[in-house]
Structures are given as structure tokens and as C-alpha cells.
Amino acid sequence: MSTPSTSTPTPPTPPTLTPSQARLAALNRLKAKNKLTSTTNATAGPSTRDNDGSGGHPYVHKAGNVPSTARNMVQQQQQSKDEAQAPLRRDPGLGKYFEYDLSKLHNSRGGFLTEEDKEGDRIKSIVELAREKEREKRMIREGEEPAIIIDKSPRCVECNTLEINHQFLKVFDVTVCKNCEKKYPEKYSLLTKTECKEDYLLTDPELKDEDLLPHLLRPNPHASTYSNMMLFLRIQVEKVAWDKWGGPEGLDNEWKRREEFKKRKREEKFEQGLRDLRKRTRNNLYQRKQESEHIHRFEDADEMVDESGDRKVLQRCFGCGAEQEIEVL
């Protein structure tokens, strides 16, 4: 007699959770546990929470982290102070960002244009504005005048006054007042670089030598983007020119010689152009003459027989239409 075999039933397989479902289940489990813990603490009361074996009255302050020495207490206070002053931790969820040093940024007027930003119909760029500001600062530095001391301050060489032009003294080493500067323009007027080259026949290396000819820089009146003007003192330019050419007579002779040389060059250039024009005209006339000469090219147009029985051929030029009769032997 056989006994029936008993088979153990297999437990059902739990369903497989996706990562998002598993994360949500764990979060719900933590929320329920936190809610249960907070409910238990609220119903227990203060006497149950304080009687944890440490003893003592529940409202008595218990010495927890009391330092053993005063030195440790000072260190602990310093550490807590440093922690309070430490910057807050940046939230990584904000993404990337850039830190700007606002002390080094320049005022760009927020994209708005003012009247002083315009130059005619054109708007000045940031580079031009920076150049103008630097130029103004340099002019302010150059225009600073020292205090006047009666016994020690320099005096004007013309009128012996103490109110001299300190800019001329600093740049040209000339002690003259502003009134005498206007009164004697043949000595103290300012010349541009072009005037020095054309009127006094000086070269660029001589004008760039500050030991020989000091110059004063001024902003170009035509445009702020152009190079600064180089202004020279007339009396100093004349001294260098007299030494170079041997006085005003030598300068006049050199100027006349250069003018004659320029005139001769212009005449030679004009004559050369005239010769080229004549040559081209002569070639054109010869070409037209060659083209005007015509060579007849006859071809037989008609055949005729006269009364005597002689046979003749009429030929006609296909270029100009001239005709001739040829007797056939």
C-alpha cells in the first residue's frame, strides 16, 4: 500500500521593483519611522525623557561638554567663532557660475549713451574714452603749479614777474609768463611738426630727439584716434635751424635750391609725358596711314564680246567696287 507523497508548496516570488519604486518605498518607510518616533516622545512627557539613568532633576542644567581647563575653553570658543564666520556651503544644484571682482570693473553706463560719449555723428569707443581720460590726467599733472616764493621762485626773462608758465618751464626749460608769450609770438609761439619740416627744413630724427628739441604733446584736433600733436618752441627750432644751415641766409639759399630742384623735376616729368604723347600720336598716324592704303583685289564679274569678235572680261574689286576690262588673247 503506497502512501501519497506530500509536496511542499513553493512561496510566491515577490514582484521586482524598479529603482524609482524602490527609492519611493524607502522614502515612505523613513517618513513613517520619523512620525512614530516624534509621537512616542510627545506622549512620554519630560520626566520619562530625563530619567535615562543619568539621574538628577529634569530642569537642572547638566554639564555636558565642559572643558577641563581654561585653555581648552578658549580654543573651543575660537573654533566656534571660526565656524560662525565660515562662508556658507554652496548648493551644488545651482550649477556653474563665475565670480567677478566688482572692484576692478569699470562703469559702462549700463548700455546708455550720454552726450559726452558722442563725437559728431559717431559714438566714441571704450578705448577712445580711456585715452581721453588718461590724456586729461596727464594734462592735470603737467599743469600743477608749485608755490610762489619771492626769493627762490624763477622769474620771467622778459618782464621779471613771478607768474610764469610752469608748463613751458617743465617742458622747454624756458621761464616766461603767459602775457609775454602772447606779446612775443616770434619767440614763444608753438610750431607743429609739419611747419618745422617745411619752413625750417628739419628732419624726423632731429625732431624726435628730445635732447635736441623738446616737444609738448597735445591732443589732435582732427580726431581723438589720431596721434598726438608734437609742438615745438619757435626760438629753439630757429636756433637748431641756424646752426644747421648757417643762419637765415643759408636757410633761404637751401630753400631756393630745393624749390628749383622741384621745379626742374616737374618740367622733366612734363617733357617726358609730352614725348610719350607725341610718340603715341605718331604711331597712331602711321597706323591710320597704313590702314588708309587700299590694295585692289579684282575678280571676274562678266565676260563680253565686242563687234570685232574680241573677247573681254570685266573685273570688279570686291573691296571698293572699282571695275576694269581685260582683253582675253
Side-chain angles (χ1 to χ4, degrees):
M1 185 174 179
S2 62
T3 59
S5 61
T6 60
S7 60
T8 306
T10 58
T13 305
T16 305
L17 299 178
T18 62
S20 59
Q21 293 175 350
R23 192 182 307 109
L24 183 61
L27 183 60
N28 293 335
R29 191 182 303 110
L30 289 175
K31 287 182 179 179
K33 186 177 179 181
N34 188 16
K35 185 176 181 180
L36 182 62
T37 305
S38 62
T39 306
T40 305
N41 291 338
T43 56
S47 59
T48 309
R49 290 195 303 268
D50 292 335
N51 295 333
D52 52 354
S54 59
H57 197 274
Y59 297 102
V60 176
H61 176 69
K62 300 181 181 61
N65 298 328
V66 178
S68 58
T69 61
R71 180 184 303 172
N72 295 339
M73 182 177 64
V74 173
Q75 292 179 356
Q76 186 176 0
Q77 291 177 354
Q78 186 67 26
Q79 290 178 0
S80 61
K81 185 177 180 181
D82 295 341
E83 291 177 358
Q85 294 179 356
L88 297 176
R89 182 176 177 272
R90 178 179 170 275
D91 186 4
L94 297 177
K96 294 182 179 180
Y97 70 101
F98 299 94
E99 294 184 358
Y100 294 97
D101 189 359
L102 300 179
S103 62
K104 296 181 180 179
L105 294 179
H106 298 284
N107 182 18
S108 61
R109 296 178 177 84
F112 294 95
L113 301 176
T114 59
E115 291 298 330
E116 53 188 37
D117 294 336
K118 297 181 180 179
E119 184 178 357
D121 297 335
R122 190 178 63 87
I123 300 174
K124 298 179 184 178
S125 63
I126 298 178
V127 178
E128 295 174 0
L129 294 175
R131 287 180 180 174
E132 290 184 0
K133 191 171 293 184
E134 182 65 25
R135 192 181 298 122
E136 291 176 358
K137 291 181 180 179
R138 186 173 63 252
M139 292 178 65
I140 292 174
R141 289 196 300 268
E142 292 177 355
E144 293 178 354
E145 298 182 359
I148 296 177
I149 303 174
I150 297 177
D151 299 334
K152 298 182 180 179
S153 297
R155 295 177 178 271
C156 177
V157 295
E158 300 292 342
C159 62
N160 202 27
T161 183
L162 291 171
E163 298 178 356
I164 63 172
N165 190 343
H166 291 276
Q167 191 176 26
F168 273 40
L169 178 61
K170 186 181 297 184
V171 178
F172 302 114
D173 196 18
V174 175
T175 55
V176 63
C177 65
K178 294 184 178 181
N179 293 330
C180 294
E181 176 189 347
K182 298 177 181 178
K183 187 177 179 181
Y184 303 103
E186 68 276 4
K187 289 184 179 181
Y188 306 111
S189 60
L190 298 177
L191 302 175
T192 61
K193 184 178 179 181
T194 305
E195 292 174 343
C196 295
K197 292 171 67 175
E198 293 180 355
D199 298 342
Y200 294 93
L201 307 180
L202 299 179
T203 60
D204 284 331
E206 293 172 345
L207 296 175
K208 291 180 180 179
D209 189 359
E210 296 186 2
D211 296 333
L212 181 64
L213 282 174
H215 59 269
L216 178 65
L217 292 178
R218 289 283 175 83
N220 199 307
H222 300 288
S224 59
T225 54
Y226 293 173
S227 301
N228 294 329
M229 289 194 309
M230 298 172 62
L231 300 178
F232 302 87
L233 193 63
R234 182 182 292 273
I235 188 173
Q236 295 179 351
V237 174
E238 288 182 352
K239 182 179 181 302
V240 174
W242 301 162
D243 294 341
K244 179 179 181 180
W245 304 113
E249 294 81 7
L251 178 62
D252 293 339
N253 296 333
E254 179 65 21
W255 185 83
K256 291 178 182 178
R257 187 187 67 81
R258 294 192 181 188
E259 289 296 323
E260 291 176 357
F261 178 76
K262 291 179 182 178
K263 183 179 180 181
R264 188 168 62 252
K265 281 292 184 182
R266 287 196 297 268
E267 291 176 355
E268 291 178 358
K269 185 177 181 181
F270 176 75
E271 291 178 359
Q272 181 65 30
L274 190 59
R275 286 195 295 268
D276 294 342
L277 180 60
R278 288 174 179 172
K279 187 183 297 183
R280 290 196 300 270
T281 305
R282 192 183 307 119
N283 292 339
N284 292 339
L285 289 174
Y286 177 77
Q287 185 176 1
R288 286 199 297 268
K289 186 177 180 182
Q290 291 290 332
E291 292 176 355
S292 63
E293 294 180 358
H294 178 65
I295 300 176
H296 294 293
R297 295 181 181 179
F298 294 99
E299 59 182 2
D300 296 343
D302 192 9
E303 185 175 351
M304 299 178 298
V305 178
D306 58 0
E307 297 176 355
S308 60
D310 297 332
R311 198 160 52 91
K312 295 182 180 180
V313 177
L314 179 64
Q315 293 183 345
R316 184 180 296 112
C317 177
F318 64 87
C320 62
E323 297 180 351
Q324 64 178 0
E325 292 182 357
I326 299 177
E327 185 176 355
V328 180
L329 299 177

